[in-house]
Amino acid sequence: MRGRTLSLSKAEARRLAVRAQGLGANGLPTRVERRTLRSVFARIGVVQIDSVNVLVRSQYLPLFSRVGPYRRKLLDELAYGPRRALFEYWGHEASLIPLELFPLFRWRMARAERFEGTWSGLARWARNKRDFIESIYRQIEQRGPTGAGELEKRNRPGSWWGWTDAKAALEYLFWAGRVSTAYRRSFERVYDTTERVIPAAILQLPHLQEAEAHRQLLRLSLKAMGFGTERQLRDYFRLPTPDAKRRIAELVEAEEFLPVTVDGIQAIGYVLRGTPVPRRSGGAALLSPFDSLVWERDRTEHLFDFHYRIEIYTPAHKRVHGYYVLPFLLGDRLVARVDLRADREHSALELKALHLEPRVRRADVLEALYPQLERMREWLGLERRTGLRRARAKSSMP
């Protein structure tokens, strides 16, 4: 390593993280257009997709947290419309990613085609089903946009991971970059050949060597994170550990990444050269459980002193905070957990529970939270808000 190791307080590291993610602003744009949403993707690089629809599907929430109310159809148009600007692939998990980053993931597609870097069970299955996989690909070529359900009716069922053979073949072809998501139908992926989904101008971009693609993804990760340790940086785009270690060392040697220590955090972190430390962080935001600010749970705990686990898969009687709990960001602190549900039958945003963090003033949280809840209610097209008194009673603080 060249040069000296910088030092940050935990508060400074938090402010870097919040600002890098496009959060913590005092004001929201007065009008949200395509370019507004694209600017969010340019900043954070990736938005995780998830099927849970207790409140709203999770991929819509990170944008709401950063720009406020917007037409959800606008995101659908960016992802699946005739002027698409996003594509679906394995970024963090299943993700929406800017089209211009497509070349940075060709290495992952190439490895998957060699039965590497994908789920081990799928890789083993695919090695023994090459002819069948090719037959599925030819059907997609002939039929055009096709869902797994349509193919399942025509192809015999299998047993890998409870999927039909047709579904497993499509997942392998998706990993290998040979098919892409043309659009979604009631959240089901509808696949087509990648050549018919991804614009030709993108497919014609130069192929990158793996090492250069990894370096670019790490630069994007650190830009989006503000501050991050080696483990956190490779987790952002799920890079293989040995590759990430080598590329980070190269970026440190080139003095693009500057080593940093943070009070109370044992591992060495990094910041991009020339990154200013914000003096303050304002604003408030309700965060999806799959928001990129909080998806690396150890980082969330070490940086924000906020132990966070999603409890969707926890039996009801063992849940501590609730089924679908949103962290509430106020300034540079995560100050509360908000258990929300969209009661569509009664057109209500239901606040099921509110849990305040230690040493947080209830009045400060409620004053900042009310406008966020009202903004969300209007965004979701719900007529009223319920559960506030009950949530007050359940609050962790007196």
Side-chain angles (χ1 to χ4, degrees):
M1 289 185 185
R2 291 182 174 182
R4 64 187 182 86
T5 300
L6 304 177
S7 179
L8 293 173
S9 69
K10 190 177 286 190
E12 288 174 324
R14 282 199 304 269
R15 294 199 297 272
L16 273 173
V18 170
R19 180 68 59 87
Q21 281 283 302
L23 294 159
N26 285 312
L28 297 173
T30 55
R31 184 177 178 181
V32 178
E33 302 171 325
R34 280 177 60 98
R35 62 182 178 182
T36 317
L37 300 191
R38 291 191 67 173
S39 70
V40 175
F41 277 91
R43 180 186 287 269
I44 65 177
V46 61
V47 166
Q48 185 173 335
I49 300 169
D50 192 81
S51 62
V52 177
N53 198 21
V54 175
L55 184 63
V56 64
R57 295 209 193 274
S58 185
Q59 60 268 28
Y60 296 106
L61 275 171
L63 297 158
F64 172 80
S65 302
R66 289 157 176 80
V67 304
Y70 69 97
R71 291 188 302 113
R72 279 170 281 163
K73 189 174 177 60
L74 198 56
L75 178 59
D76 297 336
E77 291 167 356
L78 282 176
Y80 312 113
R83 293 192 300 138
R84 72 172 70 225
L86 308 171
F87 73 103
E88 281 193 26
Y89 191 59
W90 296 103
H92 181 71
E93 293 287 332
S95 304
L96 289 171
I97 307 169
L99 269 176
E100 56 268 25
L101 301 188
F102 185 88
L104 302 187
F105 293 91
R106 285 187 180 276
W107 65 272
R108 180 166 284 162
M109 298 170 187
R111 288 192 184 187
E113 197 156 19
R114 299 194 303 267
F115 312 106
E116 301 170 10
T118 181
W119 305 314
S120 58
L122 180 61
R124 286 193 300 271
W125 179 90
R127 280 181 184 275
N128 298 316
K129 296 284 187 175
R130 299 184 200 199
D131 290 344
F132 179 76
I133 289 169
E134 289 305 313
S135 75
I136 292 294
Y137 182 75
R138 288 193 296 272
Q139 289 181 57
I140 296 290
E141 277 189 312
Q142 295 163 9
R143 293 165 58 93
T146 307
E150 297 165 76
L151 292 175
E152 286 163 359
K153 294 175 183 176
R154 304 178 57 184
N155 297 277
R156 67 181 179 83
S159 60
W160 187 78
W161 218 14
W163 287 354
T164 65
D165 281 355
K167 173 63 174 173
L170 285 169
E171 284 299 319
Y172 172 74
L173 289 166
F174 181 77
W175 267 99
R178 296 182 62 192
V179 302
S180 297
T181 307
Y183 55 89
R184 283 185 178 257
R185 182 171 51 210
S186 299
F187 200 70
E188 179 196 19
R189 276 193 191 130
V190 177
Y191 301 88
D192 203 351
T193 64
T194 295
E195 289 73 19
R196 292 198 291 246
V197 173
I198 305 298
I202 298 296
L203 293 177
Q204 291 164 8
L205 290 172
H207 288 228
L208 299 173
Q209 295 293 325
E210 282 195 359
E212 179 55 27
H214 293 164
R215 280 189 289 268
Q216 291 198 34
L217 288 171
L218 286 164
R219 290 184 188 108
L220 289 169
S221 300
L222 191 48
K223 176 187 172 187
M225 296 175 71
F227 158 85
T229 65
E230 175 198 291
R231 176 179 173 180
Q232 294 158 8
L233 287 169
R234 59 181 162 84
D235 178 73
Y236 202 83
F237 286 109
R238 297 290 167 87
L239 297 179
T241 301
D243 300 281
K245 283 178 177 288
R246 286 193 289 268
R247 302 294 83 85
I248 289 172
E250 293 166 0
L251 291 163
V252 171
E253 180 66 20
E255 297 188 317
E256 292 187 52
F257 285 14
L258 302 182
V260 175
T261 61
V262 174
D263 294 344
I265 297 178
Q266 187 173 5
I268 290 289
Y270 303 93
V271 296
L272 284 173
R273 170 170 289 282
T275 301
V277 179
R279 293 186 176 182
R280 63 182 301 274
S281 181
L286 285 161
L287 303 177
S288 160
F290 306 102
D291 193 287
S292 47
L293 181 69
V294 297
W295 65 28
E296 214 287 333
R297 305 307 193 202
D298 288 343
R299 181 177 193 255
T300 304
E301 184 165 1
H302 295 154
L303 199 54
F304 292 91
D305 301 311
F306 192 84
H307 180 81
Y308 181 56
R309 298 292 184 272
I310 191 165
E311 297 179 296
I312 290 174
Y313 306 109
T314 303
H317 68 282
K318 293 185 177 180
R319 290 179 194 139
V320 177
H321 297 110
Y323 181 78
Y324 197 72
V325 174
L326 280 64
F328 183 46
L329 177 72
L330 184 58
D332 66 355
R333 301 298 301 269
L334 294 171
V335 297
R337 303 154 200 264
V338 187
D339 189 7
L340 286 175
R341 182 175 79 97
D343 181 352
R344 296 175 180 89
E345 181 181 355
H346 300 99
S347 191
L349 178 64
E350 182 182 2
L351 177 58
K352 296 173 67 67
L354 171 64
H355 301 272
L356 305 183
E357 287 296 282
R359 298 177 296 281
V360 170
R361 293 185 66 238
R362 175 199 296 272
D364 293 340
V365 173
L366 294 180
E367 182 182 4
L369 181 60
Y370 289 166
Q372 295 292 322
L373 293 175
E374 188 61 16
R375 189 177 289 139
M376 181 170 285
R377 179 194 65 76
E378 292 178 356
W379 177 56
L380 296 179
L382 302 172
E383 295 176 359
R384 58 200 181 94
R385 193 177 66 222
T386 63
L388 182 59
R389 291 184 180 179
R390 185 169 68 251
R392 278 177 172 169
K394 289 183 179 180
S395 172
S396 304
M397 296 291 289

